[in-house]
Amino acid sequence: MNNRIYRTETINNYMSLRLPQYDSLKILDDLMNTLNFQQSDEELQKAVHEKYPIFKEFERSFPSITFALATGVGKTRLMAAFITYLYTNHDIKNFFIVAPNLTIYDKLIKEFGDHNYKKYVFKGIGIFSQKWPAIITGDTYKEIMDGQTNTGVITISIFNIGKINAEIRKGKEPQVKRLWEYIGQSYFDYLANLDDLVVLMDESHHYRADRGMTVINELNPLLGLELTATPQVEKSKGAVKFKNVVYEYSLANAIIDGFVKEPAAATRKNFDKTKFNPYEVDQIKLTDGIRIHRNTKAELEAYAKNENVRTVKPFVLVVCKDTAHAEEIKEYIMSEDFYDGYYADKVIELHSNQKGSEKEENVQKLLSLEDDDNKIEIVIHVNMLKEGWDVTNLYTIIPLRTATSLTLREQTIGRGLRLPYGKRTGNAAVDRLTIVAHDKFEEIINAANEETSIIKQKNIIVIDDDEDFGKEKEITHSKTMFDDFIEQQEKKKKFSRSEEKIKEIEREIQTAKAVGDSIDEVLSKPLNIVIPKTENNNNEDIKQENSEQKKREILKKVITTEDLKKPEIKKIITEKAKEKLQKSFENVSLFDNEIEKKIENAVAPLIEQKIKYTIDIPDIVVVQVGTQLKIYNDFDLNTFWFNYDVPTDEILIENLTDNEFSVLKEDSPCILPDSVQNILVNEILIAETAISYNKCKDLLYKLVNQAIDFIGKKKSQQEVEKIIYHYKKDIAREIIMQMNGNSSYTTPEYQVKLLRSSAPILQQDYTKFKEDEIVKYTHNIPAYEIKKKVVGHFSKACHTVYKFDSVPEHIFAVILERENNVLKWLRPVLGQFKIHYGGSRYNPDFVVETNEFIYIVEIKAHNKVRDDEVILKAKAARAYCENVNSLYKGTSKKLWKYMFLLDSEIGRSVDFSYLEKESETWSIV
């Protein structure tokens, strides 16, 4: 044990830790002195959870805990404090620091290894002043392994896991895992065999992917210490919170305590993004962003002169959506059109496509942005500077057409949060980071004012109810009843002891599967039938009769489950099954008669099972036939709507924490890319693609000139240009509206196509707690548990098990099971129906087949019935039913109906027949 113990208070004093850093260090001290690392992971996890309730589990194959600190608070300095504490108090001498990318990797090497660097992390630590820690990197470890002496008092290995993962992705074994002759093993194995290895993970949300988790788990360290400002991982279904957080210090706390700049959003006064296309919004935001930048630059120079401190040279960060966009923006900034070319030599671009010397030169400029002799004032980037780029002079962020850059996530605004003087000055301009958000201003202000926003939310990790803590989950397969019937045959094998009997059962199973597959093939055969429509002519009655006759002939080809009982259909199924079995049996000649007999015995009962548990859901599509044409007539423009004031150039800046306003005023010239006539014509053609330039050219310029003449009354040319440029979308919209009012359409034609008469019933998997049994549908389930439980033991459902979203849905299933008039029902999987509404696919709550009808059923709360989405769904479902009924008119097939129910109508004492009547008297469309 090292004889010079540094207490946490001592480390705090030597390193001048901030309060959240010191709190984190005290938590590590508490855990190291109270935990018994000889215990099992389960026992350790329970002990940590009792001390720090937001912690749930290690999430790795070794003890690992996360400290979630906001960007700008100082995670790198905290890592150095952790290392100092573990060495001086617990004699731990081997540390492995993981960096997610090359930027952070290079930064960590400099901060941990360069004793003369101004940000060297061990400054003030006397125990390291005579004998420095040995720094081994992903580039130098080979030299150490070849026999060079390690003279450090402790060893800190710094590796870029991004490189290791990249080698794995290419199918290569990472170099760090390859055998090194000098020590007889790989450096990775050498580290994994150390009994005092501690892994420190910077920006640890990057190591939650499969490869990152696997590589670090294989090191098998004594302890893992994770640091991140983002204690969650983005998944397709939403953010997944870390379960191993022991301490959290959010951005909201950092803002309140004054450790970072105050974030603010800026927009142009009365800005309406709908009046401009995306390229124009970009140019306006860039112009106004530089106006803000110039104002900030002047304020910083004045502050430095007044306070006799060093001058901070601010710069602007422009966020682009892709490399092509970045190149386009750079070209615009360097042009004479942008502030007369002043920034042509003051802008750099950085993205992943850059290679070699170009990228290296730009990286070096980035690293020296705080230096006085670096003249760069604008940095354009594409997904390259999310983390690890620690500069204090970023004051303006301009996100261009990137939704993620406008959601106020810490990774986005975190690049500009660090304070240049280490603390707040009290000068608003010096202490403020401005996000230029013309097109998202209201959204950002509203989001920032939500209690759940990162500006105000003091806890991202929430202490959940411990009732389900530690419960293991499993997947339950919801099979169709037909598939379940076949699978039950396989279970007979378990109770058979004779080899001959087992073979007999195996043949029966093969036969059942072959017949089942043949039934599905017959039902799933594509039809692509178009029902002919009656033509309008003088022989209407004759045409109608011929059309109905032709329709009945076509529908004779349609096969539903009931049709499976027809002798000719049974024969087709038998032949298909025989072909399948002949391919599966080794010696067909020995079993010909047996095969025929088994198939004949199997077909009838399997058809009965298929009919019993299948609802025939027609697979239909509605398609337009031919092209619908729009004709525009000549007319004179009504100019009543074109009274516009000359737009203002004022910029509003609002703090996101206290909502205080400031206004930046400065007139800027209007630079038009084309004549006002061409700008308006082009805007009309972009907004309304139905208008043909060649066919409507004369009318377009006539209307545009009428609008310009009216707007130009008593105004200068410059004022007219400003109005046209600012309101061009409004002007174009009004002209289009009047053109549409003087237009007509050719009549469209539609066809309904029947692709399949009985689409396969899709299946779905559910999750449940392993300790839970499948609940019988008749049992009462509390509302707070309903979404957790898997329910089964049905007699009429098309699947073996379901989950329900609400108690009324569950009770409705109970009603269906006991109702004599209900034959079968199902909860369809998303994708079962091709019913679309507003660009989305509709998935009904239930489908119910009775003796007379088939119902699409939707259950909703009373306060939801007037929601636009609910109304659109109802219209789409009714249209589906009408189309099916139109197709099946004149046949014996059941009609389809849409049933809309209020959840308040559903109770255990209610009959389905009552709900049928209620749905007929209640309509939302």
Side-chain angles (χ1 to χ4, degrees), residues 27 30-32 34-37 39 41-58 63-66 223 243-247 469:
I27 289 173
D30 177 38
L31 292 174
M32 291 298 296
T34 58
L35 295 181
N36 179 4
F37 285 91
Q39 291 180 309
D41 281 356
E42 290 75 15
E43 291 172 318
L44 282 172
Q45 286 175 158
K46 185 177 180 181
V48 178
H49 175 66
E50 288 175 353
K51 284 177 169 290
Y52 304 99
I54 60 172
F55 172 90
K56 290 293 186 291
E57 59 184 70
F58 292 135
S64 187
I65 55 178
T66 293
L223 177 66
K243 296 179 181 179
N244 68 341
V245 175
V246 293
Y247 178 74
F469 175 61

Side-chain angles (χ1 to χ4, degrees), residues 717-911:
Q717 180 65 24
Q718 178 70 12
E719 288 175 328
V720 171
E721 289 178 351
K722 277 194 173 185
I723 290 173
I724 297 297
Y725 187 71
H726 189 81
Y727 293 107
K728 61 183 180 299
K729 286 187 179 292
D730 289 340
I731 298 169
R733 192 180 298 118
E734 179 58 34
I735 292 175
I736 291 169
M737 191 178 299
Q738 293 190 35
M739 288 180 70
N740 288 336
N742 290 275
S743 66
S744 58
Y745 288 91
T746 57
T747 305
E749 292 186 13
Y750 296 93
Q751 285 182 339
V752 179
K753 284 189 177 183
L754 178 64
L755 303 181
R756 284 179 295 191
S757 59
S758 184
I761 302 296
L762 304 180
Q763 304 187 40
Q764 181 168 317
D765 292 341
Y766 300 109
T767 59
K768 72 176 184 67
F769 293 117
K770 201 168 185 179
E771 62 186 44
D772 286 354
E773 298 290 334
I774 293 175
V775 180
K776 189 172 183 180
Y777 73 90
T778 53
H779 291 178
N780 285 315
I781 305 174
Y784 66 87
E785 284 195 325
I786 191 69
K787 291 185 178 182
K788 302 177 186 177
K789 301 299 182 182
V790 175
V791 183
H793 306 284
F794 305 111
S795 62
K796 297 182 179 181
C798 295
H799 293 94
T800 52
V801 295
Y802 290 121
K803 268 190 173 183
F804 299 99
D805 296 322
S806 66
V807 171
E809 285 186 356
H810 173 226
I811 295 175
F812 186 69
V814 175
I815 294 171
L816 297 177
E817 284 288 309
R818 72 171 183 230
E819 182 73 27
N820 292 331
N821 191 39
V822 172
L823 301 178
K824 45 202 168 185
W825 62 275
L826 71 87
R827 278 177 63 75
V829 175
L830 183 63
Q832 184 70 68
F833 286 86
K834 290 187 176 73
I835 302 177
H836 296 275
Y837 71 97
S840 301
R841 182 174 283 194
Y842 173 47
N843 192 50
D845 291 331
F846 291 86
V847 178
V848 180
E849 183 172 348
T850 66
N851 289 320
E852 298 86 16
F853 303 104
I854 300 176
Y855 291 93
I856 290 176
V857 182
E858 186 72 19
I859 300 172
K860 278 287 179 285
H862 196 281
N863 62 348
K864 297 289 185 181
V865 295
R866 294 302 172 192
D867 288 0
D868 290 342
E869 183 180 14
V870 174
I871 293 172
L872 287 173
K873 285 180 178 179
K875 287 181 178 179
R878 288 189 190 280
Y880 174 86
C881 294
E882 290 169 1
N883 285 326
V884 172
N885 295 340
S886 175
L887 286 170
Y888 286 169
K889 184 179 179 181
T891 71
S892 60
K893 303 186 190 308
K894 293 178 181 177
L895 295 179
W896 281 68
K897 288 187 174 184
Y898 178 68
M899 179 186 286
F900 184 87
L901 300 174
L902 297 177
D903 60 4
S904 57
E905 297 173 333
I906 300 171
R908 284 181 175 266
S909 62
V910 173
D911 291 331

Side-chain angles (χ1 to χ4, degrees), residues 380-532:
I380 304 171
H381 92 95
V382 180
N383 199 30
M384 284 289 290
L385 307 174
K386 283 185 178 180
E387 297 146 341
W389 190 46
D390 297 336
V391 290
T392 61
N393 57 332
L394 172 55
Y395 272 86
T396 308
I397 297 178
I398 309 176
L400 302 180
R401 285 184 269 162
T402 52
T404 54
S405 294
L406 299 174
T407 57
L408 290 183
R409 294 177 183 242
E410 289 185 61
Q411 288 183 6
T412 305
I413 67 174
R415 300 313 97 218
L417 287 175
R418 289 173 174 80
L419 293 163
Y421 299 108
K423 61 181 180 180
R424 295 264 181 89
T425 65
N427 184 303
V430 178
D431 297 337
R432 182 174 61 212
L433 166 69
T434 304
I435 305 166
V436 180
H438 290 35
D439 48 343
K440 295 281 185 177
F441 184 75
E442 292 295 332
E443 180 181 325
I444 283 182
I445 296 300
N446 292 335
N449 285 325
E450 293 288 338
E451 290 303 316
T452 55
S453 77
I454 63 170
I455 300 298
K456 292 192 175 181
Q457 189 178 21
K458 295 184 179 180
N459 296 99
I460 296 174
I461 308 297
V462 179
I463 303 175
D464 296 321
D465 184 355
D466 280 343
E467 181 183 352
D468 298 326
F469 175 61
K471 285 186 179 179
E472 186 177 355
K473 287 188 176 181
E474 65 179 2
I475 293 175
T476 300
H477 302 286
S478 179
K479 302 184 289 288
T480 64
M481 288 291 195
F482 179 72
D483 289 337
D484 187 60
F485 174 78
I486 292 179
E487 287 184 19
Q488 294 303 318
Q489 308 303 311
E490 295 193 27
K491 294 182 180 180
K492 294 179 181 178
K493 287 195 296 184
K494 296 181 180 179
F495 304 101
S496 302
R497 296 184 178 179
S498 71
E499 188 174 336
E500 186 59 35
K501 186 64 176 175
I502 291 174
K503 287 184 178 179
E504 175 70 18
I505 293 172
E506 286 176 348
R507 291 169 191 156
E508 290 179 0
I509 293 170
Q510 283 180 299
T511 302
K513 287 183 176 179
V515 173
D517 290 343
S518 301
I519 291 172
D520 288 339
E521 282 184 20
V522 170
L523 285 175
S524 300
K525 182 181 179 182
L527 298 170
N528 202 26
I529 294 174
V530 179
I531 304 302

